[in-house]
Amino acid sequence: MHVFITGGSGLIGSATVAELLGHGHSVLALARSDAAAKAIEAAGAEPHRGDLADLDALRAGAARADGLIHLAFGHDFTSPDAIARAIAEENRALEALGDALIGSGRPLVTVSGTPQVPGRPSTERDPLPTDGPMAGRSRSVAAVLALASRGVRSSAVRMPRTVHSQGGGGFAGMLTQIARRTRVSGYPGDGTQRWPAVHARDAAVLLRLALERAEPGTSWHAVADEGDAVRDIATVVGRRLGLPVKAVPQETYGPLGPVFAADQPSSSTHTRATLGWQPTHPSLLSDLENLQP
Ligand SMILES: NC(=O)c1ccc[n+]([C@@H]2O[C@H](COP(=O)([O-])OP(=O)(O)OC[C@H]3O[C@@H](n4cnc5c(N)ncnc54)[C@H](OP(=O)(O)O)[C@@H]3O)[C@@H](O)[C@H]2O)c1
């Protein structure tokens, strides 16, 4: 397949570009800067200049492709307004990408986070949140999945809180960045809340499988570790960076504070059984051992 990907220069995207190229696909990747274009070219893919706000560039990329993977997202979590802007930008971009595929039967794979269900690991059947800071993303995903009835083989791969590589990425990566800045490896609440995780290379395999085989309108969980206690994550971060490990106020994490404090394990039993996905790369707690002071 000739695949158009957004976010191909990011943590998950670069692993996905490598996974696609390694399985006989060719890749056209959105690049919003010279640096991203260079990285994409070095990876063996073709850069396609433009950004998420450039809907003509998105339509042109989609027109050249047999299938699409959408991963780009502006990760400015500093204020509710910044999050809302990124969600609105993604929403318009996904609308343009989806419209370009209507009636074609071509696949469109998008991403979201795994849902949170009190008292048990969430499954692929649970709905995405309709309130909270990221609820707008759930609406974008629902709109993409609804395109299944309009001739698009749309699917969503739900990512766990931490998609990691070389000790960095996702929520655990944010804990690490804050620890470096504040000189304390903190965690919100009592630290027993659990976050699921996956290695970026395993997530990339699932994105490829969804592109190749997902039935229209389906959702999948890229969950390798069902849930690590956040205190255990902070403990490895603190040991690797030589910093004290302590409970800190939820406000330390800005608008994402309530999300950081919530227990949100997640399962991928259905995904593994149906798509034959089997994660093989290191767990989050092992990968964090790559952190350097
Ligand atoms: N990592 C995780 O733990 C995790 C967990 C749950 C969900 N997700 C979701 O998975 C997706 C990929 O995440 P990631 O960790 O790979 O993110 P990342 O490393 O921050 O990469 C983001 C990618 O999006 C691109 N991008 C951002 N804003 C853009 C814009 N306005 N126009 C064009 N490109 C833009 C970036 O391009 P540049 O290279 O030019 O910056 C980069 O390629 C995101 O939707 C993210 O929310 C990730």
Side-chain angles (χ1 to χ4, degrees):
M1 241 184 257
H2 190 49
V3 183
F4 179 44
I5 183 170
T6 72
S9 51
L11 180 126
I12 302 174
S14 49
T16 306
V17 168
E19 173 70 18
L20 291 169
L21 294 173
H23 284 78
H25 301 291
S26 56
V27 178
L28 178 69
L30 188 71
R32 61 172 169 170
S33 68
D34 290 343
K38 262 194 196 146
I40 285 161
E41 224 158 12
E46 180 190 346
H48 179 74
R49 289 307 291 258
D51 62 23
L52 281 183
D54 184 349
L55 302 185
D56 286 337
L58 297 179
R59 290 185 195 104
R64 290 180 56 194
D66 304 309
L68 268 60
I69 297 180
H70 165 68
L71 294 169
F73 188 74
H75 285 129
D76 178 354
F77 296 122
T78 50
S79 72
D81 278 356
I83 296 175
R85 271 196 302 278
I87 290 174
E89 180 179 63
E90 179 184 51
N91 190 298
R92 287 188 293 271
L94 268 174
E95 212 172 82
L97 291 172
D99 282 353
L101 298 196
I102 285 174
S104 71
R106 286 181 281 164
L108 166 58
V109 184
T110 192
V111 281
S112 75
T114 50
Q116 174 200 345
V117 179
R120 66 162 172 83
S122 68
T123 75
E124 294 84 345
R125 285 193 179 77
D126 290 313
L128 293 178
T130 50
D131 55 10
M134 306 307 281
R137 284 198 96 181
S138 308
R139 287 192 284 278
S140 298
V141 172
V144 167
L145 295 180
L147 291 173
S149 64
R150 301 179 70 194
V152 181
R153 190 160 63 76
S154 56
S155 63
V157 174
R158 296 163 166 189
M159 297 293 166
R161 294 299 87 82
T162 303
V163 185
H164 55 94
S165 178
Q166 289 300 308
F171 278 17
M174 288 189 231
L175 284 190
T176 304
Q177 284 167 12
I178 293 169
R180 288 189 193 280
R181 204 172 62 235
T182 60
R183 311 308 297 159
V184 169
S185 179
Y187 54 85
D190 66 3
T192 60
Q193 74 274 32
R194 293 158 295 170
W195 294 349
V198 70
H199 195 285
R201 289 168 69 183
D202 286 319
V205 174
L206 182 56
L207 286 161
R208 174 181 61 78
L209 292 174
L211 178 87
E212 291 172 348
R213 337 192 178 133
E215 291 294 324
T218 51
S219 297
W220 308 98
H221 277 195
V223 172
D225 314 343
E226 196 166 284
D228 297 307
V230 177
R231 196 173 44 206
D232 292 344
I233 297 172
T235 299
V236 181
V237 171
R239 177 166 48 71
R240 293 299 307 168
L241 303 186
L243 297 173
V245 180
K246 284 188 206 163
V248 297
Q250 196 174 295
E251 293 68 41
T252 311
Y253 306 101
L256 289 181
V259 186
F260 269 47
D263 186 44
Q264 45 200 309
S266 189
S267 130
S268 56
T269 306
H270 169 72
T271 298
R272 293 177 196 229
T274 311
L275 291 180
W277 177 66
Q278 192 55 53
T280 57
H281 290 94
S283 68
L284 173 60
L285 295 181
S286 306
D287 198 9
L288 287 173
E289 298 293 346
N290 287 309
L291 288 176
Q292 300 298 328

